Amino acid sequence: KDGLGVIAKWVKKHASLYEAATRHPFIESIRNGTVDISSFRRWLGQDYIFVRAFVPFVASVLVKACNETDDSSDMEVMLGGLASLNDELAWFKKEASKWGITLSDTVPLSANIRYCSFLKSLMSSEVEYTVAVTAFWAIEAVYQDSFAYCLEEDSKTPEELKETCARWGNEEFGEWCCSLEEIVNRRLQKAPDEVVQKAEAVFLRVLELEVEFWDMSRVGI
Ligand code: HMH
């Protein structure tokens, strides 16, 4: 045993795609202070739509955790994730009004629609808990990694965007992502090969969809 969990191995194996998702030009532009505010506004409106679709997905992972594992701490970690989405939706509304964005008028762009249908496909009871929780981890980890990067000491993130970055880049969320990663590693270690392969494919698909999601911020510039 080399001590590395399956997730850490996958992140290494797929380093270029992982980096494309977590060091996207949009994130780099926040970090170096050159971010175009219309891009930020577009991302914010699209992400609100995404998070609304993310809630039932996370609820479905919670249900799978209750049915497929006897480890009660799994359920608690999923429930923590669901609870923080409650605050997140309120935060989006507050942030949107600060930037003068009308969320009810925001139309989902095609990359967002694709991502939301992917989430829907993972909600099926045919999808194993191990596969669904891998997706959950990847979705959260991309945001945690990306926004924590914008808050590093040498970053030039504009003051008015720091609160947004801290939403996902804060230490507590980082620790919660680590708890989720431990669950995923534990599940993958015990899973049959076929499930591990499915989980790896889902991990890669999440990374691709995240890249396309960030790309939307550039539409029309
Ligand atoms: C597109 N990925 C996207 N939006 C989010 N809010 C997260 C991940 C993390 O919750």
Side-chain angles (χ1 to χ4, degrees), residues 38-96:
S38 72
S39 297
F40 176 79
R41 292 165 54 95
R42 196 175 299 107
W43 165 80
L44 189 78
Q46 293 298 316
D47 211 43
Y48 173 72
I49 296 171
F50 175 84
V51 171
R52 291 194 71 89
F54 193 45
V55 171
F57 165 73
V58 174
S60 78
V61 182
L62 173 67
V63 169
K64 284 175 177 147
C66 295
N67 292 334
E68 285 189 46
T69 177
D70 38 18
D71 192 329
S72 68
S73 71
D74 277 31
M75 187 267 266
E76 287 162 27
V77 172
M78 307 309 143
L79 185 58
L82 200 54
S84 68
L85 289 176
N86 187 37
D87 298 339
E88 201 158 298
L89 287 173
W91 177 83
F92 269 104
K93 288 177 198 165
K94 189 196 75 178
E95 195 66 14

Side-chain angles (χ1 to χ4, degrees), residues 47 50-51 54 88 115 139-140 143 168 210 213:
D47 211 43
F50 175 84
V51 171
F54 193 45
E88 201 158 298
Y115 205 163
I139 293 164
E140 298 289 32
Y143 264 45
W168 292 277
E210 288 288 341
F213 199 93

Side-chain angles (χ1 to χ4, degrees), residues 187-198:
R187 296 289 305 188
L188 288 169
Q189 216 168 18
K190 295 187 291 190
D193 283 354
E194 166 229 346
V195 171
V196 175
Q197 279 162 25
K198 272 196 231 170

